Amino acid sequence: MASSLLHCSDKLPFMDVETILHMKEGLDESSYAQNSSLQKRGMDTLKSLIINSATDVYISQMPERFTVADLGCSSGPNALCLVEDIIGGIGKVCCRSSQPPPEFSVLLNDLPTNDFNTIFFSLPEFTHRLKSAAKSDEWGRPMVFLSGVPGSFYGRLFPRTSVHFICSCSSLHWLSQVPPGLFDEAKAPINKGKMYISSTSPPAVSVAYRRQFQRDFSLFLKSRAAEVFPGGRMVLAMLGRQTDECVDRRTTFLWELLSESFAALVSQGLVEQDKVDAYNVPFYAPSLQEIEVEVRLEGSFSLDYVQTYEINLSSSGDAKEDGRTVSMAIRAIQESMLSHHFGPDIVDALFHEYTQLVTESMEREEVKSVQIGVVLTRL
């Protein structure tokens, strides 16, 4: 997903998420394609849940054409791996029942600024892997029709009643915009020195972020309700929290370290404090209860499964390597927004500080994040 710092007539910063926020494109060292291993780890945690949910929908409906959509597909090696697993899972079901596989319509969605070209360049390899899997498992050569669908998933993307299965991993914690309400009546920032909810944030900050999530997630559900066949399913995975309070250290910790990195640049005279105070991220990590409430209020889906998972970010046993992996992943995601707000010249210095802080933290303790997995069925 994407963002831009424009300025409204009242001079308050406004984050136009749909035009700027995107994973860093290309294949160079700092690109998302080279720094998406953390997202892959989260996807692998829910891999069997996604495959089983998709195959259950196929078995219950047995369509001649099975349509699957990946929302927030991004680019790089992760973009097609879930689709490949889903097609393979359904192919094996068809093999066991001596049925020919359906045709597959694959809809890859992300914001218009996403690097769709990197995905399309990988299609020959993707097709070759599918053919090899089909041959080894003897379920016949699959017919796969793949399309890119640029646009925000906080609104309609597909024709009415056209999709059997939707998956979305590591995307729904991004909001459609930075929440309103983070500046006071004098147009001064109320969350100074912080870019997200922290233990020192005034209560109004948590309220603003929660309300924005409620608006966005409700719109997401309403939009998907129009597009998914009755009996179709969605599997959603997003960063979340295990506490009722908005401050969960496993969710806020990496944002806190990024704020500390900015404080170091301010002390070195590289960044103005006012610029830092005005920067807020369009991000929210919901609780299980907040998701359950929005699903119930919208009313079009049954909530079949919801669970939190802890993901250990200190996985290799080498704090320096783990620190660099985390830092580069955050940079690949945040660089577009940071460059737009602060200018591109500070990015290298910022992530030099950030890498050091993350590494030092990992030398002292295990650093974990929390992911929420959700399965919804269209009523």
Side-chain angles (χ1 to χ4, degrees), residues 83-102:
V83 169
E84 184 176 343
D85 291 336
I86 290 167
I87 293 173
I90 292 175
K92 291 175 182 177
V93 168
C94 294
C95 181
R96 289 195 295 267
S97 60
S98 299
Q99 295 282 338

Side-chain angles (χ1 to χ4, degrees), residues 73-130:
C73 64
S74 191
S75 59
N78 295 341
L80 292 171
C81 62
L82 284 179
V83 169
E84 184 176 343
D85 291 336
I86 290 167
I87 293 173
I90 292 175
K92 291 175 182 177
V93 168
C94 294
C95 181
R96 289 195 295 267
S97 60
S98 299
Q99 295 282 338
E103 293 184 345
F104 292 94
S105 175
V106 176
L107 309 172
L108 299 178
N109 158 258
D110 212 308
L111 293 178
T113 47
N114 184 56
D115 185 11
F116 283 100
N117 280 340
T118 296
I119 302 175
F120 298 145
F121 282 137
S122 69
L123 285 182
E125 183 181 350
F126 168 73
T127 302
H128 176 74
R129 290 196 306 269
L130 282 180

Side-chain angles (χ1 to χ4, degrees), residues 257-258 261 319-329 331 347-362:
L257 293 184
L258 197 55
S261 302
K320 186 174 182 180
E321 179 62 26
D322 287 336
R324 182 184 180 280
T325 298
V326 171
S327 179
M328 293 295 284
R331 176 172 181 167
V347 173
D348 286 342
L350 175 67
F351 282 95
H352 175 75
E353 296 286 345
Y354 190 62
T355 301
Q356 286 186 321
L357 289 175
V358 175
T359 300
E360 290 169 4
S361 299
M362 289 184 160

Side-chain angles (χ1 to χ4, degrees), residues 32 36-50 78 81-82 168-170 173 235-239 307-313 369-373:
Y32 179 78
S36 54
S37 61
L38 295 182
Q39 287 80 1
K40 181 64 163 62
R41 205 178 304 164
M43 290 164 62
D44 287 345
T45 302
L46 296 175
K47 180 178 176 179
S48 61
L49 184 67
I50 291 169
N78 295 341
C81 62
L82 284 179
S168 179
C169 293
S170 300
H173 44 251
V235 178
L236 313 176
M238 67 199 85
L239 293 178
Q307 184 65 50
T308 60
Y309 302 83
E310 283 192 347
I311 298 176
N312 188 358
L313 304 182
S369 66
V370 175
Q371 179 174 258
I372 295 179

